[in-house]
Amino acid sequence: MSTRTLTKDQMLSLAEHIENAELNVHDITKVTNDFPDMTFDDAYDIQWEIRRRKEARGNKVVGMKMGLTSWAKMAQMGVETPVYGFLADYFSVPDGGDIDTSELIHPKIEAEVAFVTKAPLKGPGCHIGDVLAATDFIIPAVEVIDSRYENFKFDLISVVADNASSTRFITGGRMAKVEDVDLKTLGVVMEINGEVVELGAGAAVLGHPASSVAMLANMLGERGEEIPAGTFIMTGGITAAVAVKKGDNITVRYQDLGSVSAKFV
């Protein structure tokens, strides 16, 4: 059953408002201030409309992401449910590349493991076994998040409407077959300007990063959507998110999978 409180016009106008904040690099107050009764259905409607707007302009959706999947991240944000968002083509930054801080409001980085599928996944009832069987390979990834909300002050419904704070991502290191890596114990070390700022292991993501993909399939299933074969999926931060600024060099090292780096300019 659908629980929606916004009219179609309100939903369309909020999608434009939030996307403009991203495109024009300015912060806004959280949308639930004006629409306190907004539901998750409303928020995902806004997110899918932002996605439609980008595709209408010729951008391609190149992947999906899960957010707030680590216990650390949920504690940091005071929430208890993971959320998903989409990744547009212009979010992608090559390993070792530059990230233009003038295009971002208040960026933070988190270390993640990304999955690439070779078979479709559809909920409800998708579980880790389905995900592992449908995975082509995994690859290290660093996500740059950038909430469009003032002072990073928001609630979960506002985050979903803001495409889960998505803005940039970097992939690198080495691809690996899922059976060759113990994803629960996979260690990561995040460095900024050569200093270690965060450590983590794969189990931080819902006990196993594949359970994040299963949850995404089940959440998309509620909207009649699926994860197609060949989808790139970022599974959520293994570490808490760390603020970065112009001039910072970041490197994240992944046990046995190499490293991912970038420079904020």
Side-chain angles (χ1 to χ4, degrees):
M1 95 160 204
S2 151
T3 52
R4 289 177 169 83
T5 65
L6 299 177
T7 64
K8 180 145 195 227
D9 284 350
Q10 287 170 327
M11 184 274 289
L12 293 172
S13 131
L14 283 169
E16 182 176 13
H17 173 62
I18 295 169
E19 198 203 15
N20 282 343
E22 178 229 330
L23 297 175
N24 301 324
V25 199
H26 65 81
D27 56 13
I28 54 177
T29 54
K30 67 180 198 289
V31 288
T32 49
N33 287 2
D34 297 319
F35 297 94
D37 298 330
M38 254 178 81
T39 64
F40 279 108
D41 283 336
D42 289 324
Y44 278 114
D45 286 349
I46 292 169
Q47 183 190 119
W48 283 86
E49 172 59 17
I50 291 173
R51 175 176 174 156
R52 190 202 65 74
R53 289 169 65 86
K54 290 193 184 310
E55 290 179 321
R57 262 183 237 116
N59 292 126
K60 292 198 164 37
V61 170
V62 294
M64 297 293 291
K65 62 162 270 188
M66 287 288 281
L68 303 174
T69 49
S70 81
W71 307 120
K73 197 69 206 284
M74 288 192 244
Q76 186 184 17
M77 291 297 158
V79 298
E80 59 289 324
T81 329
V83 298
Y84 68 79
F86 66 87
L87 302 169
D89 46 11
Y90 68 92
F91 295 1
S92 178
V93 176
D95 191 12
D98 290 348
I99 295 172
D100 185 351
T101 50
S102 73
E103 296 172 353
L104 308 174
I105 300 164
H106 35 210
K108 297 185 177 190
I109 57 166
E110 46 191 52
E112 309 202 6
V113 172
F115 281 61
V116 176
T117 59
K118 61 185 176 188
L121 286 163
K122 191 163 169 94
C126 181
H127 59 77
I128 284 187
D130 300 326
V131 173
L132 295 177
T135 300
D136 191 7
F137 59 89
I138 57 161
I139 188 166
V142 173
E143 185 176 17
V144 184
I145 55 169
D146 189 27
S147 170
R148 268 54 72 166
Y149 298 119
E150 271 174 15
N151 307 318
F152 261 90
K153 291 266 184 295
F154 46 68
D155 49 53
L156 208 50
I157 284 173
S158 297
V159 172
V160 167
D162 184 31
N163 191 24
S165 309
S166 306
T167 193
R168 300 287 182 270
F169 66 94
I170 315 137
T171 46
R174 276 199 299 286
M175 304 185 328
K177 288 285 174 201
V178 80
E179 58 270 23
D180 295 339
V181 180
D182 180 352
L183 279 165
K184 286 173 87 85
T185 61
L186 176 74
V188 303
V189 179
M190 180 190 287
E191 297 172 4
I192 299 182
N193 304 324
E195 253 180 75
V196 174
V197 292
E198 281 285 334
L199 302 167
V205 179
L206 298 174
H208 190 298
S211 58
S212 173
V213 180
M215 191 177 278
L216 173 62
N218 293 330
M219 291 168 83
L220 288 172
E222 289 168 16
R223 291 185 74 97
E225 303 278 349
E226 65 175 22
I227 300 174
T231 302
F232 172 83
I233 302 151
M234 297 188 61
T235 53
I238 291 171
T239 58
V242 178
V244 284
K245 60 187 186 310
K246 184 174 180 169
D248 283 347
N249 285 289
I250 63 149
T251 301
V252 182
R253 303 179 195 287
Y254 294 77
Q255 181 185 344
D256 302 329
L257 293 176
S259 64
V260 177
S261 61
K263 182 170 190 197
F264 286 81
V265 298

